[in-house]
């Protein structure tokens, strides 16, 4: 009967025949069997249902099927009390692996795993969190390596109780299992928050049994209920298999004339807890004590508690509980037969009994300070300063290991136990600061609201507002968030000006994303009320530059070197300087700042900061497309893991643009469409414009210029004004290029001149060059040359190699059509060399065709073989040519070594190579010949 009850089994008698079909679950079982088939197309499946629907038993059947097919099974079961312990679920999953498997990981991955589990050397001396993405890569590498030996099945049961850090790592892995010999089955309670999983993965929902199946299940019981008793059981159980079996069992234990209690309807869980609690009556005192200790434990996996605190699994104390159907003994292991049994045992005990159990466990766990702290907290009947301090230390340890959710929970509980309201408020603000890195805005707002209710301290209140604002800017609600941030900044302007400036800095980010011009004036008004001093100069510059980069551009540019020098030892500030430089079209300075910052910075958490998309854009503009896509991969991973769709959308637009430049138009459109589906274009004009630019580039790459024009034109209003004050301007030249090929010159010229007037003399050299190119394309042929020449006049424009090569190609085409063929050859050669170096396939073909028309001897060179590869394969080939191993490539691109190896295996024949050592010579030699052959 256990297969119908979720995890209970019969009170006595043998376990059911594994081959016996589930009642009413044949279709679900069949789908799970197909999922664990090595040939399955879906590497991940969610199994969702209310407690008692049979998830665990279905998973057991799937495990037996997988093992029969030769699979290695790794399994972890969530525990409500362990949800506060960072990486506890991941530790449970990976603990069965031999030490040599982990030792085989690259040093960085091995260190990340050991630090996460608190087993690395000198862990106590770490001052920053391990890279959570590196932990995800390490887990992916472990599973991939196991899959090379045999199929692997990863089973995650009761995942709603997994700690947040483990969930983030496992979600990262789940998204990258395609092509691996690894299958992941995830079971969770219906209604629990696992949206980051179930939004993107095949989901099997266990619905209540229908009437016929429910009756069949009752018919299978040892004493099948009849008459009114059966009717009441069917009504009360509501199709829940566990409830059907347990209510039938309870009914047969009573006087047949009495049947079930006549009390009114109760929630199903209450019914079941009462039923299980009733089984405690008459148990020996030793058994009752053992059950309560087991119920109060963090996990039966705690060897200290099991060894020192509980009776031996083979001892007589457990026999009465086993006979009562409360526990199951397997070798030296004792487990409750269902989580509801644990709940019933725990809540049936008196408050004093529960406190005593937790104090006993705290004493047994003296060498496990985090678990000890939580048991001490559970034993507290009221405020306790010492226990609150223990939890605060637990939070510090969790934060150093990257467990921001665990740290926030510990601080939240510490606040509840703090005797003084001021200390409670301080701890809640700290909890909000940690919770920011989980991406859970509702939780951050709950914590900050609780802090506000406990204190009148203006500095704490202001700090709470800053924490909430820090995360809010990364959500999709830019208009609402901007209003809240600026209202708060205005309120704190006089009493807490530093906090007001922090809030205004976040409001500037919201202004950038939304692109609403009225917000710029609001920021300027509040900023004018704040006092100016040396300590706030950098942040004030940030606010002004982000909200209006071209308003005082010359002043901002002159400040960049000093700001960069002051930030040299502070990577997070150096990143902010890089973002400002990118906004000002000082891309070379931006890239230098990002490079220096990343050399010095161990990531402080998984949350994308502020305008993090600027990093990828800067690398893309600078022609470092592989690094741009690496940055996109990281932002996408952490954005999805934190449930921050806007961050993922930002990354998607940059990657879509690079894919379009590389000639993979279908992939570019898919990524751009994904970005548009994630945002509201009126709330996030920046992302909407970026997506239209990417779609325009993809259409142009295919020669669909009418479509390209329509997409690019959406970056401007009907009268030609920019839709976004920063994102729209770089589209002007591409808009003009599409216009001349589809007969829309006049309309495009209106937009170009409107924007040129708006920029005036404050345009950056880059934008002046783009406007010059646009004017040259749209001008009468007799008047075009000065515009092209001015667009190429500044030698600094070589830092935007793709844009410069486009202008060179446009000039060469104009020269050839004017029969100035000899003059056209130099810019053609320069442009073709740049396009080849970048891997811009559509523009390579266009430049080669133009070169042939100009009489140049254009010979196919080996780099053109890369055109047969996908952009991701090209990226892998280039990294391999630099000498990186499959594991190192996987770490950069967030792929498993197996997936990297598969791409290399498929790419080598297309490139005409047989060994990795040939890649560097192939690419370097071909690039060199490309520079001299034409």
């Amino acid at each position: 009967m256990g297969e119908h009850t979720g995890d209970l089994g019969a009170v006595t008698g043998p376990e059911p025949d594994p081959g016996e079909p589930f009642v009413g679950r044949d279709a679900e079982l069949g789908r799970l069997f197909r999922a664990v088939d090595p040939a399955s197309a879906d590497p991940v499946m969610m199994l969702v249902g209310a407690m008692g629907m049979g998830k665990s038993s279905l998973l057991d059947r799937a495990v037996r099927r997988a093992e029969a097919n030769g699979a290695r099974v790794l399994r972890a079961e969530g525990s409500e009390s362990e949800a506060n312990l960072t990486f506890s679920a991941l530790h449970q999953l990976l603990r069965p692996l031999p030490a040599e498997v982990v030792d085989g990981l690259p040093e960085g991955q091995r260190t990340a795993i050991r630090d996460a589990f608190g087993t690395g050397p000198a862990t106590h001396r770490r001052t920053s969190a391990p890279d959570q993405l590196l932990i995800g890569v390490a887990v992916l590498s472990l599973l991939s390596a196991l899959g090379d030996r045999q199929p692997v099945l990863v089973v995650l049961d009761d995942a709603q109780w997994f700690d947040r850090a483990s969930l983030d790592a496992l979600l990262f892995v789940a998204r990258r299992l395609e092509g691996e010999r690894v299958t992941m089955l995830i079971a969770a309670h219906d209604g629990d928050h696992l949206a980051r999983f179930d939004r993107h993965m095949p989901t099997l929902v266990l619905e209540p049994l229908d009437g016929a199946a429910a009756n069949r299940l009752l018919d299978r019981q040892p004493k099948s209920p009849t008459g009114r008793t059966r009717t009441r059981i069917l009504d009360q159980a509501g199709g829940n298999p566990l409830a059907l079996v347990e209510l039938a069992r309870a009914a047969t234990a009573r006087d047949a004339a009495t049947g079930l209690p006549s009390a009114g309807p109760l929630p199903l869980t209450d019914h079941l807890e009462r039923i299980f609690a009733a089984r405690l009556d008459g148990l020996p005192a030793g058994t009752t004590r053992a059950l309560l200790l087991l119920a109060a434990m963090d996990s039966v996996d705690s060897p200290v508690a099991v060894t020192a605190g509980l009776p031996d699994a083979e001892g007589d104390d457990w026999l009465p509980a086993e006979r009562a159907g409360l526990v199951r003994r397997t070798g030296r292991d004792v487990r409750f037969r269902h989580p509801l049994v644990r709940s019933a045992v725990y809540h049936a005990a008196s408050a004093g009994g529960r406190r005593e159990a937790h104090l006993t466990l705290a004493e047994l766990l003296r060498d496990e300070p985090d678990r000890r702290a939580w048991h001490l907290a559970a034993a507290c009947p009221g405020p306790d300063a010492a226990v609150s301090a223990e939890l605060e230390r637990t939070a510090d340890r969790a934060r150093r290991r990257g467990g921001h959710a665990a740290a926030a929970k510990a601080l939240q509980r510490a606040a509840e136990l703090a005797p003084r309201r001021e200390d409670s408020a301080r701890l809640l603000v700290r909890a909000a600061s940690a919770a920011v890195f989980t991406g859970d805005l509702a939780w951050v707002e709950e914590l900050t609201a609780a802090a506000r209710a406990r204190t009148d301290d203006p500095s704490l209140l202001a700090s709470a507002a800053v924490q909430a604002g820090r995360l809010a800017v990364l959500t999709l609600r830019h208009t609402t968030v901007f209003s809240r941030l600026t209202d708060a900044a205005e309120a704190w302007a006089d009493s807490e000006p530093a906090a007001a400036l922090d809030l205004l800095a976040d409001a500037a980010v919201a202004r950038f994303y939304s692109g609403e011009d009225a917000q710029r004036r609001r920021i300027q008004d509040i900023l004018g009320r704040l006092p100016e001093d040396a300590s706030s100069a950098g942040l004030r510059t940030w606010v002004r530059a982000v909200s209006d980069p071209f308003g005082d551009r010359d002043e901002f540019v002159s400040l960049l070197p000093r700001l960069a020098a002051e930030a040299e030892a502070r990577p997070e500030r150096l990143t902010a300087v890089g973002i400002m430089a990118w906004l000002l079209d000082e891309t070379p300075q931006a890239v230098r700042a990002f490079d220096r910052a990343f050399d010095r910075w161990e990531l402080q958490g998984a949350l994308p900061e502020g305008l993090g998309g600027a990093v990828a854009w800067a690398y893309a503009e600078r022609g470092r497309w592989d690094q741009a896509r690496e940055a996109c991969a990281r932002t996408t991973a952490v954005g999805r893991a934190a449930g921050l769709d806007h961050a993922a959308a930002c990354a998607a637009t940059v990657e879509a643009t690079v894919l379009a430049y590389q000639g993979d138009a279908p992939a570019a459109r898919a990524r751009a469409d994904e970005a548009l589906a994630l945002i509201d274009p009126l709330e996030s004009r920046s992302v909407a414009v970026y997506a239209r630019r990417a779609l325009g580039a993809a259409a142009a790459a295919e020669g669909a210029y009418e479509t390209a024009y329509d997409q690019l034109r959406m970056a401007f209003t009907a009268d030609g004004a920019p839709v976004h004050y920063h994102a729209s301007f770089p589209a002007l030249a591409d808009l003009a290029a599409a216009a001349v090929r589809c007969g829309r010159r006049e309309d495009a010229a209106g937009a170009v001149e409107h924007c040129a007037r708006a920029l005036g003399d404050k345009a950056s050299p880059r934008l002046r060059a783009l406007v010059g190119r646009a004017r040259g394309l749209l001008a009468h042929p007799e008047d075009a040359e000065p515009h092209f020449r001015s667009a190429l006049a500044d030698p600094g424009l070589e830092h935007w190699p793709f844009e410069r090569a486009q202008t060179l190609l446009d000039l060469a085409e104009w020269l050839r059509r004017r029969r100035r063929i000899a003059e056209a050859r130099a810019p053609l050669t320069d442009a073709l060399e740049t396009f080849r170096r970048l891997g811009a396939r559509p523009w390579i073909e266009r430049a080669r065709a133009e070169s042939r028309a100009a009489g140049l001897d254009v010979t196919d060179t080996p780099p053109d073989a890369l055109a047969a590869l996908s952009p991701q394969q090209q990226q892998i080939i280039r990294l391999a040519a630099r000498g990186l191993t499959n594991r190192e490539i996987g770490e950069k691109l967030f792929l498993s070594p197996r997936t990297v190896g598969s791409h290399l295996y498929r790419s080598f024949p297309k490139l005409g190579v047989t060994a990795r050592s040939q890649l560097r010579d192939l690419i370097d030699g071909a690039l060199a010949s490309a520079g001299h052959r034409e």
Side-chain angles (χ1 to χ4, degrees):
M1 279 171 289
E3 73 271 29
H4 310 302
T5 64
D7 200 26
L8 280 171
V11 175
T12 59
E15 289 295 317
D17 176 6
E20 181 183 352
F22 281 70
V23 172
R25 297 292 191 218
D26 292 348
E28 292 88 342
L29 188 60
R31 189 171 175 192
L32 279 183
F33 281 176
R34 289 192 296 274
V36 300
D37 188 300
S40 171
D42 291 326
V44 184
M45 177 170 287
M46 287 282 298
L47 183 62
V48 176
M51 185 175 290
M53 285 295 183
K55 299 184 296 297
S56 296
S57 292
L58 280 166
L59 289 178
D60 288 342
R61 287 292 188 87
V63 165
R64 288 195 287 269
R65 170 63 68 94
E67 287 176 333
N69 291 334
R72 169 74 180 270
V73 177
L74 297 175
R75 188 165 186 166
E77 297 180 9
S79 166
E80 189 172 9
S81 58
E82 286 203 355
N84 298 321
L85 300 175
T86 305
F87 292 115
S88 58
L90 197 60
H91 182 265
Q92 183 188 158
L93 183 74
L94 300 180
R95 192 179 63 176
L97 297 182
E100 56 266 23
V101 175
V102 177
D103 291 343
L105 290 172
E107 182 180 358
Q109 297 180 28
R110 184 172 63 248
T111 300
I113 283 285
R114 289 175 173 170
D115 285 344
F117 295 159
T119 59
T123 298
H124 63 284
R125 293 197 296 270
R126 288 186 63 88
T127 58
S128 62
D131 187 336
Q132 292 203 350
L133 289 181
L134 191 56
I135 292 169
V137 173
V139 177
L140 181 62
S141 297
L142 285 172
L143 296 179
S144 180
L146 292 174
D148 287 339
R149 305 175 190 173
Q150 66 186 118
V152 176
L153 175 62
V154 176
V155 178
L156 311 176
D157 198 4
D158 280 326
Q160 74 282 347
W161 287 332
F162 280 17
D163 63 283
R164 178 64 176 268
S166 294
L167 276 177
D168 287 347
L170 291 167
L171 173 60
F172 176 91
V173 171
R175 294 180 185 279
R176 291 161 175 80
L177 290 181
E178 186 174 355
E180 304 288 345
R181 298 176 70 200
V182 181
T183 301
M184 184 180 289
L185 299 181
I186 308 158
H189 288 181
D190 189 19
D192 285 291
H193 183 64
L194 280 180
R196 293 172 295 153
F197 276 84
D198 54 34
R199 263 193 324 179
H200 303 284
M201 295 169 188
T203 302
L204 177 59
V205 179
L206 293 186
E207 303 288 355
L209 298 178
D210 61 24
N215 275 292
R216 288 200 307 274
L217 181 54
L218 289 180
D219 288 340
R220 288 171 177 261
Q221 304 312 304
K223 293 183 179 179
S224 180
T226 60
R228 181 172 176 272
T229 298
R230 173 177 282 240
T231 301
R232 291 201 64 199
I233 291 173
L234 290 169
D235 180 60
Q236 301 266 353
N240 184 295
L242 174 61
L244 287 163
V245 172
E246 291 306 312
L247 290 172
R249 182 177 293 166
T252 58
R254 297 174 181 270
D255 187 324
T258 305
L260 293 175
S262 58
L266 296 172
L268 183 62
T269 300
D270 289 348
H271 269 296
L272 294 174
E273 286 197 5
R274 288 175 181 239
I275 291 167
F276 291 130
R279 296 186 192 179
L280 297 170
D281 294 343
L283 292 178
T287 301
T288 301
R289 178 182 179 277
L291 284 170
L292 182 54
L293 279 174
L294 183 61
M297 280 177 55
D298 283 336
S299 168
V300 294
D301 293 326
S302 174
V304 175
V306 169
T307 302
L310 292 175
D312 186 270
E314 298 175 356
D316 292 338
D317 282 329
W318 295 112
L319 184 58
E322 189 174 36
R323 287 174 174 167
L326 297 171
V327 298
R328 176 187 289 123
R329 293 188 289 178
T330 306
R332 301 181 63 184
D333 189 27
V334 182
R335 292 177 182 267
F336 287 115
R337 296 185 74 85
H338 193 278
L340 281 177
V341 180
R342 176 181 183 271
S343 177
V345 169
Y346 187 80
H347 291 292
S350 66
R354 292 195 294 270
R355 282 198 299 273
E356 182 180 349
H358 284 294
L359 288 172
T360 299
L361 290 168
E363 180 63 23
L364 293 171
L365 295 166
R366 289 188 302 273
D367 295 331
E368 298 186 38
D370 295 335
R371 292 183 177 185
R372 179 177 182 273
W374 278 103
H375 282 298
L376 290 173
C380 282
D384 188 307
V387 176
S388 178
E390 286 282 350
L391 283 171
E392 190 170 5
R393 287 189 284 273
T394 287
D396 290 338
R397 287 189 290 270
R399 182 188 53 78
R400 287 196 295 271
R401 290 161 49 202
H404 299 289
K409 288 178 181 178
L411 289 164
Q412 186 175 19
R413 180 65 175 134
E416 294 169 357
L417 295 176
R420 299 175 64 247
R421 289 174 63 85
E422 294 80 1
D423 289 335
S424 179
R426 175 185 59 82
L427 290 166
L428 284 166
V429 172
R430 284 196 62 200
S433 180
V436 162
F437 290 94
T438 70
D440 190 338
L441 180 59
W443 189 17
V444 173
E445 291 178 335
E446 172 193 333
L447 292 167
T448 56
R452 285 193 294 270
R454 283 169 170 77
T455 185
D456 295 325
D457 184 329
S459 63
L460 277 177
L461 291 174
S463 181
V466 169
Q467 296 306 329
R470 186 180 178 194
L471 178 58
V473 297
L474 298 174
T475 68
L476 298 170
R477 308 179 307 177
H478 302 307
T479 302
T480 300
V481 167
F482 179 86
S483 296
R484 286 172 48 188
L485 289 169
T486 50
D487 287 349
E490 191 169 44
W492 294 109
D494 296 328
S495 59
E496 295 289 332
L501 187 57
D502 280 333
L503 290 164
L504 215 54
D506 287 332
V509 176
R511 141 75 173 159
F512 180 88
Y513 286 141
S514 75
E516 176 60 53
D517 198 55
Q519 295 175 351
R520 174 182 58 83
R521 294 188 291 274
R522 174 93 165 118
I523 288 173
Q524 290 174 338
D525 289 344
I526 299 172
L527 192 63
R529 291 182 49 189
L530 299 179
E532 296 188 37
D533 57 70
S535 63
S536 67
L539 196 55
R540 290 181 67 92
T541 303
W542 164 271
V543 172
R544 294 169 59 205
V546 172
S547 58
D548 187 11
F550 300 120
D552 293 294
R553 183 182 179 279
D554 291 343
E555 176 192 346
F556 300 147
V557 170
S558 69
L559 292 173
L560 284 176
R562 178 173 61 81
L563 293 173
E566 292 173 352
E568 189 67 32
R570 296 279 300 276
E572 71 282 3
R573 289 179 59 186
L574 200 54
T575 301
V577 173
I579 293 171
M580 280 192 286
W582 171 74
L583 287 167
L584 298 168
D585 277 336
E586 293 295 318
T587 304
Q589 289 193 59
V591 168
R592 286 196 297 272
F594 294 143
D595 286 344
R596 291 202 304 275
F598 297 155
D599 285 343
R600 293 162 171 77
W601 196 2
E602 283 189 80
L603 293 181
Q604 301 300 305
L607 188 71
E609 290 281 352
L611 292 171
V615 177
W617 275 119
Y619 284 135
E621 292 170 5
R622 190 67 183 83
R624 290 161 60 171
W625 290 354
D626 286 349
Q627 284 179 279
R629 293 192 64 193
E630 288 171 23
C632 291
R634 176 174 290 275
T635 301
T636 299
V638 297
R640 285 175 173 170
L644 296 169
D645 287 345
H646 194 267
C650 289
T653 59
V654 190
E655 185 169 27
T657 303
V658 173
L659 286 166
Y661 292 165
Q662 292 175 323
D664 193 345
R669 279 193 293 272
R671 291 293 275 147
D673 289 342
E674 178 185 343
L676 289 172
L678 289 172
I679 57 102
D680 177 346
L682 295 180
E683 282 283 305
S684 187
R685 292 174 177 84
S686 59
V687 174
V689 168
Y690 293 143
R692 297 302 173 187
R693 283 169 50 184
L695 289 169
E702 294 180 320
Y705 294 110
E706 187 78 39
T707 301
Y709 186 83
D710 290 341
Q711 292 292 345
L712 293 166
R713 188 62 177 82
M714 294 175 72
F716 306 92
T717 64
D719 64 356
V723 167
H724 187 273
Y725 66 93
H726 186 271
S728 292
F729 293 123
L732 287 170
D734 289 338
L735 178 77
V740 299
R741 289 169 173 81
C742 67
R744 309 283 287 276
R745 288 174 180 269
E746 185 176 349
D747 181 57
V752 170
E753 297 309 319
H754 191 301
C755 290
R757 288 193 299 273
L759 287 167
D761 59 0
K762 296 179 180 178
S764 65
R766 177 204 179 193
L767 289 185
R768 286 198 296 271
L770 289 174
V771 169
R773 178 189 170 212
R775 284 172 167 164
L777 287 164
L778 297 170
H780 187 279
E782 298 296 333
D783 302 324
E785 184 173 11
H787 298 298
F788 287 134
R789 298 293 185 188
S790 68
L792 294 165
D794 189 338
L797 296 175
E798 66 183 10
H799 296 301
W800 290 265
F802 183 66
E803 293 173 2
R804 179 174 177 274
Q806 287 178 304
T807 307
L808 286 168
L809 181 56
D810 290 334
L811 172 62
E813 288 177 337
W814 180 86
L815 288 169
R816 188 183 64 80
R817 285 163 176 74
R818 305 301 293 169
R819 301 186 183 278
R820 293 160 63 179
I821 294 175
E823 292 178 68
R825 289 172 179 167
L828 271 174
T829 301
D830 195 351
L832 181 57
E833 180 182 356
T834 300
F835 291 139
R836 278 179 163 160
R837 176 170 53 83
L838 294 173
R841 285 184 288 176
W843 282 268
I844 291 172
E845 292 307 312
R846 185 176 145 200
R848 290 176 70 241
E850 189 66 26
S851 297
R852 285 193 295 269
L856 289 169
D857 181 16
V858 181
T859 306
D860 287 338
T861 53
D864 285 341
L866 292 175
L869 306 182
S870 71
Q872 185 173 69
Q873 288 171 335
Q874 293 180 38
Q875 201 173 7
I876 290 170
I877 289 294
R878 289 191 178 99
L879 292 173
R882 284 161 46 188
L884 275 68
T885 66
N886 288 8
R887 283 176 170 172
E888 291 168 337
I889 296 169
E891 286 184 12
K892 280 184 169 293
L893 304 183
F894 307 104
L895 301 170
S896 74
R898 178 187 176 88
T899 299
V900 173
S902 177
H903 280 302
L904 288 171
Y905 177 79
R906 294 196 299 270
S907 300
F908 276 21
K910 298 176 183 178
L911 296 173
V913 300
T914 58
R916 202 183 192 103
S917 58
Q918 297 172 271
L919 293 177
R920 181 182 292 275
D921 290 341
L922 170 77
I923 293 177
D924 289 352
L927 287 176
S929 65
H932 300 290
R933 194 170 293 181
E934 282 79 39

